[in-house]
Amino acid sequence: MAKSRPSTRFFCNECGYESAKWMGQCPACKAWNTMVEEPVSRTTRAPGSGIKRTNISEPVSVSAISLGSSERFQTGMSELDRVLGGGVVPGSLVLVGGDPGIGKSTLLLQLMRQLSSSGHTVLYISGEESLAQIKMRAMRIGEFDDRLLLLTETDLTVIDEVIRKYKPEAVVIDSIQTMFSDNVASAPGSVSQVREATNLLMNIAKTMCIAIFIVGHVTKEGTVAGPRVLEHMVDTVLYFEGDRHASYRIVRAVKNRFGSTNEIGVFEMRNEGLRQVANPSEYMLSGRPHDSAGSCVVCAMEGTRPMLVEVQALVCHSSFGIPRRQATGIDINRVNLLMAVLEKRMGYHLGECDAYLNVAGGMRMNEPAMDLGIAVSAVSSFKNAVIASDTVVFGEVGLSGEVRSVTLAQNRVAEAAKLGFTQIVMPASNAASLEKNVAKAAKIIPVESLYDAIKVIL
Ligand code: TYD
Ligand code: MG
C-alpha cells in the first residue's frame, strides 16, 4: 500500500538537494540557510510503477549510428561559433548565464537575428519583457528578418504548443526563472519549478531536434540561480561576463558536450548592440602607457587563443605593519607566492611594501604563463625602472626562481610578433623548440631564471 506523500518538501536553493524536513545546513553542498519549502506535485510516480515496456532498447555500435540532420549550423557570429565548438548543434540545450544587465538578451536576440537572416526559422520567447520592449531593443540592433518570431509567454504548456505548431529550428527562452509548468505547484523561479521547466525544454529539444538557448540569472555567488542541477542537465553552459564599467564582454564555455571549454568569445557593447572583437589583444592593449614603471605586456592563452594583456604593478612602502597585497584579474595567492620568491631568491625587501597588481582592461587571467610578467612588473615598480614598451614576457616561475616552460609557446610568439612587439622574453626550454620562421619574427630572449629575466629586462 502506498503511503500518502507530504504535500511539501524542502529543497536546497544552491544544489537542489531534496529533504522531507528543514535543515539549517544543506547536507549535500554544505551551504547554510538555503533550504526552502516548496509544494511537490502529486503526479510524481514511484519508481518502478511506470508503464510496462514491451520493446527493449538494443545497444548499437558507434559506426552504426548515423548523424542524420545533426549537422551544426553557423551562427554568423564567429566569436560565438567558436565558443559553441563550431556552431549551433540542432537538438542541443544551451544555458547562457550572466549578471543582470550584462547583455544576455541582446546577445541572444542578435544570435536569432543572424540565424533568421540566413534562412532559419527561429522563435524568441520572453517572459520578462513586453513585445514593445523587445522591439525597442531590436530597433537599436538593426533590420530583422520575418523568420524571427517573438512571443511573450511564461506558461510552458503554451510554449510547447507554439513550438510544435511553428517548428522553429532554434528557440530562446528568456529567462528560465520566469517560466512555469502546471505539473509543479511551486512559484516560478523556485528550485523544483526551474528543474521541471528545464526538463520539459530538454524533452522538446531532443524530440524535435531544436536548439534551445535558455537564459539563466546569476546569483551573488556567481552561479546560475536555482539549483546547480540545471548545469548538469543542459548540454552546454555559457557564461556571459564582463566588467559593467568596461564595454567589452566575454562569452566563456564552462561546460560543452560538443566542444572544448577553453574557448572564449570577445564582444564589445555598443549603442547598436554587441559587436565582435576579432583581435582582442589589440583591444586590451589600447591606451597602454609607454615608459611607465610597473607596466609589462604578457602573452597569456585563453583556450587556444593567445591574448596579450598588460599587467600593472604598484609597489610602494607600506605605512602599516602588515603590507597590503591586492590583485585584480589575477589570483592573489599567486601574487603572494611570487612576492615570496622575489624576496627569498632575489633579495628584494618586498615584505615592507604594499603591492597592488592589476590586469588592465578588466580581464581575468589565471594561467601559469602570467607568472613571469607579474614578477617582472612588480620589480619594475619596486625599482622604478621602465620595461621597454616593445617587450612581451611569458613563462611560469617555480619556487626556486626558475623559469619553466609553458604550453603553445609558438602561438604566443606569433601573436606578439603580429602586434609589432620586437622583443620576447620567454622560457629557454620553449625557445629551443620554436620553428625557424616564428623565431625570426622577433628577437627571442631565452631565460632560465627570474634572475636572468630581470637582468635583461630592467
Ligand atoms: P540586456 O541584454 O537587457 O541584459 P540582460 O538580458 O543580460 O539583463 O542588456 C542591457 C544592457 O545593455 C543595458 O545596460 C544597455 C546595454 N545596451 C547597449 O549598450 N546597447 C544596445 O544596443 C543594447 C540593446 C543594450
Ligand atoms: Mg534580459
Side-chain angles (χ1 to χ4, degrees), residues 141-154:
I141 295 171
E143 295 288 310
F144 277 75
D145 193 281
D146 286 344
R147 273 173 288 232
L148 173 74
L149 304 170
L150 294 179
L151 175 72
T152 50
E153 184 56 68
T154 53

Side-chain angles (χ1 to χ4, degrees), residues 99-106 137 140 269-273:
D99 290 330
I102 204 80
K104 300 179 293 298
S105 305
T106 310
R137 174 178 296 125
R140 301 170 71 164
M269 182 58 100
R270 295 220 168 179
N271 269 339
E272 63 282 358

Side-chain angles (χ1 to χ4, degrees), residues 105 128-129 174:
S105 305
E128 299 194 333
E129 290 159 306
D174 190 2

Side-chain angles (χ1 to χ4, degrees), residues 19 26 60-62 76 104 107 120 182 190 205-206 209 230 243 294 329 333 336 363 390 400 453:
S19 143
C26 169
V60 290
S61 61
V62 175
K104 300 179 293 298
L107 177 74
H120 302 283
D182 287 338
S190 61
K206 300 296 168 201
C209 208
L230 200 60
D243 194 340
N333 296 319
N336 283 331
M363 279 290 273
D390 59 352
S400 355

Side-chain angles (χ1 to χ4, degrees), residues 59 82 86 125 142 181 190 285 308 317 346 390 432:
R82 186 181 32 242
I125 303 169
S181 155
S190 61
L285 292 180
L308 296 174
H317 200 265
M346 310 280 303
D390 59 352

Side-chain angles (χ1 to χ4, degrees), residues 404-425:
R404 311 173 68 106
S405 60
V406 294
T407 53
L408 300 164
Q410 185 95 0
N411 305 30
R412 298 178 204 253
V413 174
E415 174 79 2
K418 197 172 90 192
L419 281 154
F421 287 88
T422 51
Q423 271 200 93
I424 298 166
V425 180

Side-chain angles (χ1 to χ4, degrees), residues 315 317 325 342-343 346-353 382:
V315 178
H317 200 265
R325 299 279 156 85
L342 284 173
E343 176 128 24
M346 310 280 303
Y348 294 115
H349 294 296
L350 294 171
E352 298 149 13
C353 295
F382 180 73

